[in-house]
Amino acid sequence: MRPRTLALAAAIAVLPLTAVSLGVSAAQAAPVPHATPRVALPNTVNPAVAHSEKKGDVPAEQQISVAVSLKLRNSDALDRFLTAVATPGAPEFGKYLTPEQFTARFGPTQQDVDQVKAYLTAQGLTVADVSANRQVVTAHGTTAQISQAFGTHESSYLDPQLQRAFFANDAAASIPADLASVVQGVSGLDNHAVRKTHLAKPNAVTPNAATATPSGMSPAQYDGAYNLNKTGADGTGTTVALWEFDGYQSSNLTTYDSQFGLTGPAVTTVSVDGANYDSAPGQGQGEVELDSEIVRGAAPKATQLVYEAPNNDQGEIDMANKIVADNKASVISISWGSCEPDTTAASMTAVDNAFKQAAAQGISIFSASGDDGSRDCTRSTSGSTVKAVDFPASSPHQTGVGGTNLKVGSSNTYSSESAWSTAGGGVSTVFSKPSWQTGTGVSGTMRTVPDVASNADPASGFSIYTAGGWQVYGGTSAAAPLWSGYAAQFNQKAKAAGQSALGEASPKLYSVANSSSYGSTFHDVTTGANQDFSAKAGYDQVTGWGSPVADALTTALLGSSGTTPPPTGGCTAAQLIGNGGFETGTAAPWTTSSGVVDNSSSQPAHSGSWKAWLDGYGSTHTDTLSQTVSVPTGCASATLTFWLHIDTAETGSTAYDTLTLQANGTKLKTWSNVNAAAGYVQQTVDLTSFAGQTVTLKFTGTEDGSNQTSFVIDDVALNVK
């Protein structure tokens, strides 16, 4: 991965050939044939292999770490939900899921994870981690073990374009056929990621020449030009996640704040896979500090979490899944990427699956579209003759941000804007055009990039304090955090208005752009071009729909969310309970009294290992278990089901110990020691009358002073249709 602020011609750092062995190693064994049939995993060979010189085998004892990505479930239902949750008027609009709810409905099952772990362990690999959302299993082992597990052969290569040594699998990875329905792909079989770059600077400025005083565009100028200072918001109460492969120095950020009179929460680092670059930031330091400072300028009171990951495919996948599983941020700002033809589709799919979870949870993502125009592979293996777009900006589950040259008038007002000549844009060769990508200028069957734009030309660049001095930086790496700061502002306003967060922004932005308010909510950029596309009226593949008129855009987005009444009919079939099998091993999104979620063998689960065990102490005791869900309007039925095992030491027909189920304080049903049975009994409760309401379902177990009664609950579901 590389930062998307690459306006200067930059020499790609050459890794020493000793980084990987270039000699033939007779010790690497050929993959051992398996008795069971195997299935090839498509798109698992790095495209650089076809353009590089093979130098020999990777030593059999060399350690390699891989990320095995698991498939999402119920993909058709997920697609329907993602459309509905972003569509004003739909019953699900704005009713975002928690990570636990997403995993319960659409994520891999614990059984899937266990199956993959068992296979990897049987091949001699060490399973290091499973992502909290169960989408990724990471493991490591020797080259020989990796080769056997995935039916590959690992070789050393030299990339003549980049003069880089790297290792890679020669052919597609494969897995036993019984894993094919579970495994999406595997990443980490090569280490071809490009890690070093330079930031976009005006051609007249010597690279890395810092100055004692700021000279580029200030927050007051871009806030004024885009009306960010007229929204009445500053990001208070919101959190932005920065997606980084390098570190920063806090002192540089505080110097920037002091210079421009900005105050807000201190920036915090979140380590991914053990990465933490802050003690010795590398060449990407300016990127990280640019991202943070632009977000600070646009939304000074927003909390910033800097996620730092190893700069490779596995690091990117693990960071994507950690951010959505943590669920601490409502906005993600991405200024790093790689051109599609030089990236394995398996890795892109794994990241995009995490982006689907982000959309389901109401997280907005803004990604820089690149700084090499419509030839995004200019400084990589495929070269400048290939028309290509940048990933993650090409993902259909985030918003790609292109670049402009912004001219600011007197009193920090908007003057004019033209397309930046090397702003990334074009047509994806991987992702189909999403249903929401419509309007004047949108054509074809594949996803086009970007969606929106803002200032990025280093000739109109931003004043940034980094590495102990002032610099002028541009690039779409500046445009993405500016839009992320706007999203933080919007989320603050939406919360105050009692509305949902922006969530997946593109469907809503396209809706506004295709309405009569387009001219007042966006600056339509109509002049300028990159290599293959020109800016024009409406949508174009250099600037998208244009740059924001922040106050008017906020009003339009809030209006479209709040003025359309929900329909009285129509209901998307769905299961609403999160963590219904308690297999996360934690309570969330349930609220429980102490010790209720349990995996002891004393009371077995109905399925899996975990369940909710209320009471059973043989003394006066009360346990509770509750969860709040929203039952959509228009559903013909809403049915709560769960499995209940009642075990008791009481005798006779008197109800000494009871379990009560309530909905919003209304008692629905009561069980007692009298209902004890040898095993689990499925219970069914009709909740159709609660359609259109937010309902708190609460189980209360009450035990008297003698003779235990255990109320054990598992596999809870609330199905609507």
Side-chain angles (χ1 to χ4, degrees), residues 249-271:
Q249 292 177 299
S250 297
S251 59
N252 290 323
L253 305 184
T254 55
T255 297
Y256 180 87
D257 293 349
S258 177
Q259 173 67 36
F260 295 115
L262 303 172
T263 58
V267 176
T268 303
T269 300
V270 181
S271 174

Side-chain angles (χ1 to χ4, degrees), residues 189-274:
L189 296 173
D190 71 86
N191 68 339
H192 188 262
V194 176
R195 306 185 181 198
K196 295 185 179 181
T197 187
H198 293 273
L199 295 169
K201 297 172 64 64
N203 292 333
V205 179
T206 302
N208 301 320
T211 59
T213 57
S215 59
M217 190 175 291
S218 69
Q221 290 177 296
Y222 59 80
D223 285 348
Y226 291 133
N227 286 10
L228 290 162
N229 60 352
K230 295 182 179 180
T231 63
D234 55 13
T236 297
T238 66
T239 299
V240 179
L242 305 184
W243 171 288
E244 308 292 355
F245 297 102
D246 211 323
Y248 63 97
Q249 292 177 299
S250 297
S251 59
N252 290 323
L253 305 184
T254 55
T255 297
Y256 180 87
D257 293 349
S258 177
Q259 173 67 36
F260 295 115
L262 303 172
T263 58
V267 176
T268 303
T269 300
V270 181
S271 174
V272 179
D273 293 345

Side-chain angles (χ1 to χ4, degrees), residues 19 133 202 212 223 230 252 266 272 302 461 533 566 583 591 661-662 674 680:
N133 59 1
D223 285 348
K230 295 182 179 180
N252 290 323
V272 179
F533 302 99
E583 293 302 319
T591 299
L661 171 62
Q662 296 175 303
V674 177
Y680 281 88

